[in-house]
Amino acid sequence: QVQLVESGGGLVQAGGSLRLSCAASVRISSMNAMAWYRQAPGKQRGFVARITSGGPTTYAESLKGRFTISRDNTKNTVYLQMNSLKPEDTAVYYCKGEAPYSDYWGQGTQVTVSS
């Protein structure tokens, strides 16, 4: 059973930074890719960023330049560095593991950006 545990969320003022972590119970190198999604109140869950096993990354167009996804295979952890945060970044952030035959989700971590 794959478990993904997010951490690092919290309350931050606009313009601030946070780094989210997603710790996996398995080797993330066995995953095709790891990704971050977010869901704001009253909205659908949306794509944030993705990193493949080989390293290439993709981002939601609106977040490029402010968010950075990275991975540490030795720690089986994926990170999301978020800078210049805005109130509209307020959401629950979810980690997703894309395995060869299934996807796995974490429980999410709340990020709240105050104006």
Side-chain angles (χ1 to χ4, degrees):
Q1 182 75 13
V2 176
Q3 291 185 327
L4 303 174
V5 179
E6 301 96 334
S7 62
L11 175 64
V12 63
Q13 288 188 331
S17 298
L18 281 176
R19 188 177 79 155
L20 306 183
S21 299
C22 171
S25 63
V26 298
R27 292 182 297 118
I28 60 173
S29 57
S30 67
M31 297 284 182
N32 293 335
M34 300 292 294
W36 288 95
Y37 285 71
R38 68 184 184 182
Q39 187 167 16
K43 296 187 177 180
Q44 289 188 331
R45 192 174 297 188
F47 172 75
V48 173
R50 182 175 183 265
I51 184 167
T52 69
S53 58
T57 58
T58 54
Y59 296 90
E61 193 64 31
S62 62
L63 300 177
K64 284 182 179 179
R66 293 196 300 123
F67 287 17
T68 303
I69 188 171
S70 61
R71 60 194 294 156
D72 185 338
N73 288 350
T74 66
K75 296 181 179 180
N76 293 318
T77 300
V78 178
Y79 304 98
L80 183 68
Q81 178 68 43
M82 306 185 294
N83 298 326
S84 302
L85 283 162
K86 305 174 182 180
E88 50 264 43
D89 294 319
T90 294
V92 177
Y93 285 71
Y94 296 92
C95 177
K96 176 186 174 185
E98 299 176 8
Y101 302 106
S102 185
D103 291 339
Y104 300 92
W105 292 90
Q107 293 298 307
T109 185
Q110 175 71 47
V111 171
T112 303
V113 184
S114 63
S115 57

